[in-house]
């Protein structure tokens, strides 16, 4: 009897969910998902490759872009197995420990990507507002330190959060609403008091993504003020043009994140497929769109990518 009760309160497995109501055509639905994963992995892999191999791209701006691509790759690979496993093999079971591990990588790479976007905003601020000191401020050693700080910040806060999750009891449904393990989703299944978990999770989000978004906004207010002080309209256009790619990356990262958070907190009566759709958009759209945006909007990246393709063709 004791073993039976322990198995109820500490589940061996959770059950992931595909797209509710569309279980029959899941194989066909997997085709666009598979294409998105291929685009995201190949696109970010290409960005990393050209930045590493092209000496002309060994500059702070592109080092930060390579960090962004690495985080996007990490996000894709963190969910690839479970998402496609559900669609192709109906593999819905995931062990509790594996679920905790997946949450660590998903939330860790998310927080790290937010930090990288902040570092890229600082890079644009220095390049536009203080261009003469750009090379002396953003040295290679400082960029390496920023990289270590990004990783440290994105992972240390998650350890106590996940340890708090492991202390919870799960005596009801073990069915999650996503194709991967997401902290608020798992926390909702607990039958014990989750106020500490909820408060700590909210504090982490505010101190990472929330703080980063405010600092990014502040940096662009200063950038706009500095650009408007430039007399020549041509110089203003050129300065704003260097920020378009980063602004787009910020938008496609934060808008899905805010939407998913709002759905989890206020969308209890929303149709189940809404949760699944926004959850997949949240993790797939930024990795898919970032390589496309930077390849189209950044001349140096576009030239480097075309050079690689032409060399392969020749």
């Amino acid at each position: 009897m004791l073993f039976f009760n322990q198995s109820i309160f500490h589940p061996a497995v959770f059950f992931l969910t595909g797209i509710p109501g569309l279980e029959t055509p899941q194989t066909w639905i997997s085709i666009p998902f598979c294409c998105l994963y291929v685009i995201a992995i190949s696109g970010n892999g290409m960005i990393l490759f050209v930045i590493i191999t092209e000496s002309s791209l060994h500059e702070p701006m592109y080092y930060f872009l390579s960090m962004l691509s690495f985080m996007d790759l990490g996000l894709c690979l963190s969910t690839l197995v479970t998402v496609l496993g559900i669609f192709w093999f109906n593999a819905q079971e995931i062990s509790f420990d594996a679920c905790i591990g997946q949450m660590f990588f998903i939330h860790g790479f998310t927080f790290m990507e937010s930090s990288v976007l902040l570092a890229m905003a600082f890079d644009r601020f220095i390049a536009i507002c203080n261009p003469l000191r750009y090379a002396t401020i953003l040295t290679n050693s400082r960029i390496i330190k920023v990289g270590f700080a990004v990783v440290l910040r994105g992972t240390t806060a998650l350890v106590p959060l996940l340890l708090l999750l492991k202390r919870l009891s799960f005596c009801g449904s073990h069915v999650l609403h996503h194709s991967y393990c997401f902290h608020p989703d798992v926390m909702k299944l607990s039958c014990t008091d989750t106020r500490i978990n909820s408060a700590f999770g909210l504090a982490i989000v505010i101190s990472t993504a929330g703080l980063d978004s405010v600092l990014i906004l502040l940096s662009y207010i200063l950038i706009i003020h500095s650009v408007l002080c430039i007399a020549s309209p041509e110089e203003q256009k050129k300065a704003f043009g260097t920020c378009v790619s980063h602004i787009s990356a910020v938008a496609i990262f934060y808008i899905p994140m805010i939407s998913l958070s709002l759905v989890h907190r206020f969308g209890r009566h929303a149709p189940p497929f809404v949760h699944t759709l926004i959850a997949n958009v949240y993790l797939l759209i930024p990795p898919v769109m970032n390589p496309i945006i930077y390849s189209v909007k950044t001349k140096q990246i576009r030239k480097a990518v075309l050079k690689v393709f032409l060399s392969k063709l020749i």
Side-chain angles (χ1 to χ4, degrees):
M1 181 64 70
L2 178 61
F3 176 78
F4 178 75
N5 289 336
Q6 286 178 340
S7 66
I8 290 178
F9 287 95
H10 300 280
V13 295
F14 284 115
F15 296 94
L16 301 171
T17 304
I19 300 181
L22 297 174
E23 289 81 4
T24 304
Q26 272 190 167
T27 304
W28 295 105
I29 295 173
S30 71
I31 295 175
F33 276 90
C34 186
C35 292
L36 289 174
Y37 274 111
V38 170
I39 293 170
I41 293 172
S42 58
N44 287 289
M46 177 61 70
I47 295 291
L48 280 171
F49 178 77
V50 297
I51 291 174
I52 291 171
T53 56
E54 290 293 323
S55 58
S56 61
L57 299 180
H58 292 175
E59 297 178 7
M61 173 184 173
Y62 303 112
Y63 288 143
F64 289 131
L65 177 56
S66 66
M67 293 182 196
L68 185 67
S69 293
F70 182 79
M71 303 312 163
D72 283 336
L73 274 175
L75 274 176
C76 284
L77 296 176
S78 298
T79 60
L80 175 68
V81 174
T82 55
V83 172
L84 295 184
I86 291 172
F87 287 142
W88 289 348
F89 309 109
N90 199 31
Q92 295 180 290
E93 292 187 7
I94 183 170
S95 69
F96 183 67
D97 290 333
C99 192
I100 294 289
Q102 188 180 49
M103 274 191 284
F104 177 81
F105 287 108
I106 290 174
H107 293 291
F109 282 119
T110 300
F111 295 149
M112 284 188 274
E113 182 158 343
S114 177
S115 300
V116 171
L117 289 172
L118 175 60
M120 295 175 81
F122 179 72
D123 169 80
R124 291 299 85 205
F125 170 74
I126 298 297
I128 293 173
C129 300
N130 202 349
L132 297 179
R133 296 187 60 198
Y134 182 78
T136 57
I137 294 175
L138 291 174
T139 60
N140 288 343
S141 62
R142 284 179 178 167
I143 292 172
I144 292 172
K145 290 177 182 177
V146 169
F148 278 116
V150 165
V151 174
L152 192 63
R153 184 190 185 215
T155 56
T156 50
L158 284 174
V159 175
L161 182 69
L162 299 181
L163 288 177
L164 285 171
L165 190 66
K166 286 181 73 71
R167 73 178 179 85
L168 298 179
S169 299
F170 299 88
C171 50
S173 171
H174 297 163
V175 179
L176 300 171
H177 293 97
H178 302 319
S179 305
Y180 53 85
C181 290
F182 188 61
H183 179 262
D185 194 19
V186 175
M187 190 174 60
K188 284 181 180 179
L189 299 183
S190 175
C191 56
T192 50
D193 187 5
T194 60
R195 284 179 294 180
I196 295 176
N197 299 69
S198 183
F200 192 74
L202 182 61
I204 291 175
V205 171
I206 292 173
S207 62
T208 53
L211 179 62
D212 293 346
S213 61
V214 172
L215 294 176
I216 290 171
L217 178 61
L218 177 62
S219 69
Y220 271 103
I221 291 173
L222 297 174
I223 287 172
I224 291 170
H225 178 267
S226 178
V227 170
L228 292 178
C229 293
I230 299 174
S232 169
E234 192 65 30
E235 290 179 346
Q236 291 179 358
K237 182 179 178 181
K238 183 179 179 181
F240 282 127
T242 63
C243 300
V244 171
S245 299
H246 180 253
I247 293 172
S248 302
V250 169
I252 64 173
F253 176 77
Y254 281 104
I255 290 174
M257 174 187 282
I258 294 170
S259 301
L260 183 61
S261 298
L262 291 175
V263 166
H264 268 283
R265 292 194 176 272
F266 307 109
R268 293 182 178 180
H269 302 294
F273 72 87
V274 173
H275 291 262
T276 305
L277 179 63
I278 295 179
N280 285 304
V281 166
Y282 160 64
L283 286 188
L284 272 177
I285 294 303
V288 169
M289 293 303 299
N290 282 337
I292 296 173
I293 290 170
Y294 277 95
S295 297
V296 172
K297 294 293 184 179
T298 308
K299 183 180 178 181
Q300 291 85 344
I301 293 291
R302 184 169 65 250
K303 288 174 65 177
V305 171
L306 288 174
K307 181 181 176 181
V308 170
F309 276 112
L310 289 174
S311 64
K312 294 294 183 182
L313 289 173
I314 293 172

